[in-house]
Amino acid sequence: VQLQASGGGLVQPGGSLSLSCVISGRFSSLNAMGWYRQAPGNQRDLVARLTSANSTLYKDSVKGRFTISGDFAKKSVYLRMNNLKPEDTDVYYCMSDTEESGIKYLSFGQGTLVTVSS
């Protein structure tokens, strides 16, 4: 599974940014897509997750500010980030939850840096 994310960059506090990710490769089912983030020395944390049943899950600190959306037919997932705060600065990783031959895989893209600073 390959994941190609784009859309990171520098934004001022209170600003907005959108991330996009396209998933490709061989799998029999795509069960969920989402976004994680990680700062140097920290663990990778879930930011938002979208399942094929259209249920969503958000990290508490981003609820009401971030919105995840996706198109499972196009194998694409998006993250709209509003009212960004300096503490949102991290490397953001696209995630896919896939299954092939009865085996589940959790895969991550290469990461895209989001910097919130004035």
Side-chain angles (χ1 to χ4, degrees), residues 18-71:
S18 293
L19 305 180
S20 300
C21 178
V22 178
I23 301 164
S24 60
R26 179 188 174 118
F27 44 86
S28 56
S29 65
L30 177 58
N31 302 317
M33 303 181 288
W35 296 91
Y36 280 67
R37 69 188 190 189
Q38 183 176 24
N42 291 349
Q43 68 178 20
R44 191 171 294 182
D45 291 333
L46 175 69
V47 176
R49 176 184 172 98
L50 173 68
T51 73
S52 57
N54 207 35
S55 67
T56 57
L57 179 67
Y58 291 94
K59 180 181 179 68
D60 284 346
S61 63
V62 308
K63 287 180 180 177
R65 300 188 297 121
F66 290 13
T67 302
I68 188 170
S69 61
D71 186 330

Side-chain angles (χ1 to χ4, degrees), residues 39-107:
N42 291 349
Q43 68 178 20
R44 191 171 294 182
D45 291 333
L46 175 69
V47 176
R49 176 184 172 98
L50 173 68
T51 73
S52 57
N54 207 35
S55 67
T56 57
L57 179 67
Y58 291 94
K59 180 181 179 68
D60 284 346
S61 63
V62 308
K63 287 180 180 177
R65 300 188 297 121
F66 290 13
T67 302
I68 188 170
S69 61
D71 186 330
F72 279 82
K74 294 183 178 180
K75 302 172 189 174
S76 299
V77 62
Y78 313 97
L79 186 68
R80 177 64 178 177
M81 304 181 289
N82 294 327
N83 190 22
L84 281 158
K85 303 176 180 180
E87 51 264 40
D88 294 318
T89 296
D90 265 330
V91 177
Y92 285 69
Y93 295 89
C94 178
M95 175 279 293
S96 67
D97 180 344
T98 60
E99 187 169 337
E100 174 67 16
S101 301
I103 301 173
K104 292 189 176 183
Y105 298 89
L106 190 66
S107 305

